[in-house]
């Protein structure tokens, strides 16, 4: 077999066989296929697409390129959750303890943030003492003992995806549905869950800008799951403005705790509760109406918050944070941003807010950058809100005073204020499973 022929076949619109894809993945991982040939194949896939069979074969090959976690020592149906990424997305911190409090084991591997979106592991590491780097034995044992553990992904999880993602990033081939779907699903399959709920974000802060694109990506991932024997469903949710009112690691932990106390912002609560209910439904806990009720009970009777405290304690963190959020600390410098005109917040360029938060220190510009856990942004006004001239719309937090100016300029560019009150958007836009696509909103 020759890589040249595989590239030419895809360039001409052919369907690659399992053996050809295996030749590519094995050769690229061991270094016998150079970056220039891998890049050419990625571009051919970007332009010509892939059939469902090819996409599934590629996914499974990438999943098997490294360690696959065996969760079978944990009793019960293990349901994983994955978000395609957004700004202020702290849903995992909320749903994991809720689902565990409802009796469904949560054995979750999460990633770090890069660029304008944050990562769950960085958020958890803002809790003093919290350890995310666990041995496989400790990870499994924590779930067996208390029903929940969130740990960092092992470095050997789907290494083929890691290598290919870095190459896609510099060859303008990230935005391809088969490549995104296989990248996400390979890591999920290698993480060992029996079932998966995907939170596919749509809007200005997401990869997918329109509902139709999100539905197409969801259908591809649901189909991969089906072919790989892992039941997968997708909830398509709004990311046209940041989720909740806080962006940044410690700030997001505070907001997650408030939501677990039943005092969270409406958008964050609505989306988190829906995803948690879908996870319970997949775990066989009853129909959606019943599962939504279970989720609300776990929050309002305090059992989800207790689960969060138990997880923090078990992973070495200070569980007193659930009673006293001041333990998380506060950034040395804060600056209020006031509106220079009256009107309505017509829209928010969510990506720019993500970038502003990164500039303040909350995210990484390169994968080796240090994180400032206390940095971030508190939003006092979001899309649709009325604002008066001179009123505070947001507060910047950082340990590096020099960054405030650049972040302010990005934040001002992000807010579009006009005389027009914008139409409200639905938070839950659609649901996709292997038999059905249900749209809850019109085209956006
Ligand atoms: N997230 C991933 O893990 N991979 C992609 O390709 C895009 C988003």
């Amino acid at each position: 077999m020759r890589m040249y022929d595989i590239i030419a076949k895809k360039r001409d619109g052919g369907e690659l066989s399992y053996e050809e894809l295996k030749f590519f993945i094995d050769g690229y991982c061991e270094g016998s296929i150079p970056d220039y040939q891998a890049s050419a194949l990625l571009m051919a896939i970007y332009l010509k697409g892939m059939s469902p069979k090819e996409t599934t074969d590629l996914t499974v090959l990438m999943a098997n390129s490294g360690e696959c976690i065996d969760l079978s020592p944990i009793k019960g149906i293990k349901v994983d959750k994955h978000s395609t990424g957004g700004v202020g997305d702290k849903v995992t911190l909320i749903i994991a303890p809720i689902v565990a409090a409802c009796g469904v084991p949560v054995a979750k591997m999460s990633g770090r943030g890069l660029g304008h979106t944050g990562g769950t592991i960085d958020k958890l590491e803002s809790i003093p003492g919290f350890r995310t780097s666990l041995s496989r034995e400790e990870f499994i044992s924590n779930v067996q003992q208390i029903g929940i553990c969130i740990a960092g992904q092992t470095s050997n999880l789907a290494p083929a995806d890691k290598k290919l993602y870095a190459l896609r990033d510099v060859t303008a081939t990230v935005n391809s549905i088969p490549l995104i779907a296989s990248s996400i699903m390979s890591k999920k399959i290698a993480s060992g869950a029996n079932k998966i709920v995907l939170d596919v974000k749509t809007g200005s802060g997401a990869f997918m800008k329109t509902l139709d694109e999100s539905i197409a990506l969801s259908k591809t991932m649901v189909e991969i799951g089906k072919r790989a024997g892992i039941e997968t469903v997708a909830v398509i949710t709004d990311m046209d403005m940041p989720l909740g009112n806080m962006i940044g690691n410690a700030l997001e932990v505070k907001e997650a705790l408030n939501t677990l106390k039943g005092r969270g912002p409406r958008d964050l609560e609505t989306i988190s509760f829906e995803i948690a209910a879908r996870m319970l439904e997949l775990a066989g806990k009853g129909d959606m109406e019943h599962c939504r009720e279970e989720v609300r009970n776990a929050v309002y009777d305090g059992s989800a918050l207790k689960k969060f405290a138990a997880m923090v304690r078990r992973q070495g963190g200070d569980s007193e944070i659930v009673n006293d959020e001041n333990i998380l600390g506060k950034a040395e410098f804060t600056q209020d941003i006031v509106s220079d005109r009256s009107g309505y917040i017509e829209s928010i360029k969510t990506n720019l807010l993500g970038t502003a938060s990164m500039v303040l220190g909350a995210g990484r510009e390169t994968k080796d950058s240090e994180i400032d856990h206390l940095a971030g942004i508190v939003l006092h006004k979001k899309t649709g809100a009325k604002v008066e001239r001179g009123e505070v719309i947001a507060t910047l937090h950082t340990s590096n005073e020099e960054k405030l100016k650049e972040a302010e300029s990005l934040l001002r560019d992000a807010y579009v204020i006009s005389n027009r009150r914008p139409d409200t958007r639905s938070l839950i836009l659609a649901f996709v499973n292997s038999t059905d696509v249900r749209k809850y909103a019109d085209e956006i």
Side-chain angles (χ1 to χ4, degrees):
M1 215 177 275
R2 292 191 318 151
M3 189 58 195
Y4 178 97
D5 300 322
I6 294 173
I7 297 168
K9 185 171 176 187
K10 184 43 75 184
R11 178 200 63 200
D12 297 338
E15 183 180 56
L16 301 178
S17 67
Y18 178 83
E19 289 69 29
E20 286 165 330
L21 287 166
K22 183 164 170 30
F23 179 84
F24 163 56
I25 292 295
D26 288 351
Y28 188 55
C29 285
E30 77 190 21
S32 58
I33 293 172
D35 278 350
Y36 55 81
Q37 285 190 311
S39 306
L41 182 62
L42 289 175
M43 186 55 82
I45 292 171
Y46 182 95
L47 296 171
K48 296 291 176 176
M50 281 185 135
S51 70
K53 177 180 178 304
E54 277 177 305
T55 314
T56 308
D57 287 347
L58 178 64
T59 307
V60 171
L61 285 162
M62 291 203 294
N64 291 335
S65 66
E67 181 188 15
C68 290
I69 316 285
D70 176 13
L71 296 181
S72 63
I74 300 166
K75 286 205 197 78
I77 299 175
K78 276 76 65 180
V79 186
D80 201 353
K81 168 261 173 191
H82 180 83
S83 157
T84 55
V87 178
D89 182 359
K90 69 278 293 170
V91 168
T92 295
L93 301 181
I94 299 161
I95 56 98
I98 293 177
V99 169
C102 294
V104 173
V106 175
K108 178 128 191 62
M109 296 250 170
S110 287
R112 294 184 187 279
L114 182 60
H116 77 279
T117 62
T120 299
I121 291 302
D122 297 320
K123 298 178 215 266
L124 284 170
E125 284 179 351
S126 69
I127 300 171
F130 195 96
R131 290 183 303 113
T132 59
S133 191
L134 308 182
S135 69
R136 205 162 353 134
E137 291 69 31
E138 187 177 2
F139 177 64
I140 302 272
S141 152
N142 285 2
V143 186
Q144 286 170 327
Q145 301 295 320
I146 61 165
I148 182 169
C149 186
I150 306 179
Q153 281 165 3
T154 58
S155 57
N156 195 26
L157 193 85
D161 170 63
K162 202 174 281 173
K163 232 179 141 190
L164 283 173
Y165 192 89
L167 193 60
R168 286 166 58 208
D169 217 14
V170 293
T171 55
T173 51
V174 167
N175 237 342
S176 141
I177 284 183
L179 294 178
I180 295 175
S182 55
S183 164
I184 290 174
M185 290 300 286
S186 65
K187 286 171 288 209
K188 291 291 106 183
I189 291 172
S191 299
N194 309 111
K195 307 197 178 199
I196 301 168
V197 176
L198 300 164
D199 179 3
V200 177
K201 303 283 184 199
T202 303
S204 67
F207 264 107
M208 299 288 134
K209 307 293 179 209
T210 68
L211 182 54
D212 280 344
E213 281 173 334
S214 294
I215 289 176
L217 176 63
S218 300
K219 282 165 84 174
T220 305
M221 292 194 285
V222 166
E223 179 67 22
I224 293 171
K226 185 175 171 194
R227 287 170 180 257
I230 298 173
E231 188 185 354
T232 303
V233 302
V235 184
I236 300 178
T237 65
D238 187 48
M239 184 41 72
D240 211 39
M241 57 175 148
L243 194 50
N245 301 329
M246 302 205 186
I247 309 168
N249 299 290
L251 289 169
E252 292 192 39
V253 171
K254 284 183 193 173
E255 193 166 56
L257 287 171
N258 283 335
T259 308
L260 287 170
K261 291 174 186 171
R263 302 199 293 257
R266 192 185 71 88
D267 58 344
L268 180 60
E269 179 178 290
T270 303
I271 289 178
S272 302
F273 284 17
E274 183 71 5
I275 305 268
R278 282 287 170 201
M279 291 174 76
L280 295 184
E281 187 195 32
L282 275 197
K285 290 281 175 186
D287 64 17
M288 270 304 274
E289 205 175 318
H290 175 74
C291 291
R292 288 189 184 110
E293 187 67 30
E294 292 276 291
V295 167
R296 277 194 295 273
N297 289 343
V299 171
Y300 296 118
D301 71 9
S303 55
L305 188 68
K306 271 201 197 126
K307 239 342 147 191
F308 190 91
M311 173 183 76
V312 171
R313 216 168 13 250
R314 184 119 194 147
Q315 292 184 232
D318 185 350
S319 60
E320 255 308 287
I321 58 157
V322 306
N323 302 316
D324 180 6
E325 63 174 42
N326 294 322
I327 293 171
L328 288 163
K330 188 163 189 284
E332 194 177 349
F333 303 100
T334 58
Q335 181 186 320
D336 287 339
I337 307 294
V338 296
S339 177
D340 48 17
R341 59 165 294 181
S342 298
Y344 292 96
I345 312 291
E346 188 186 324
S347 62
I348 295 177
K349 294 173 190 147
T350 309
N351 285 345
L352 289 187
L353 279 191
T355 308
S357 166
M358 182 180 78
V359 163
L360 290 166
R364 291 184 184 79
E365 255 160 278
T366 71
K367 69 181 188 336
D368 301 317
S369 321
E370 282 277 316
I371 290 255
D372 171 1
H373 284 116
L374 301 177
I377 306 173
V378 177
L379 306 172
H380 305 293
K381 299 280 177 184
K382 295 216 305 182
T383 308
K386 193 166 182 343
V387 60
E388 300 297 334
R389 185 165 183 217
E391 211 179 343
V392 178
I393 51 175
T395 306
L396 309 179
H397 291 235
T398 185
S399 309
N400 185 349
E401 198 175 11
E402 285 167 18
K403 297 289 182 186
L404 288 168
K405 226 180 168 59
E406 185 183 348
E408 175 178 355
S409 149
L410 284 160
L411 189 127
R412 290 200 180 279
D413 286 347
Y415 270 85
V416 180
I417 302 177
S418 77
N419 294 331
R420 200 183 75 85
R421 168 177 264 164
D423 299 334
T424 46
R425 281 167 63 113
S426 305
L427 294 167
I428 315 281
L429 302 168
F431 173 72
V432 179
N433 66 13
S434 61
T435 54
D436 206 8
V437 175
R438 253 172 272 159
K439 276 192 194 180
Y440 305 123
D442 295 331
E443 298 305 315
I444 49 171

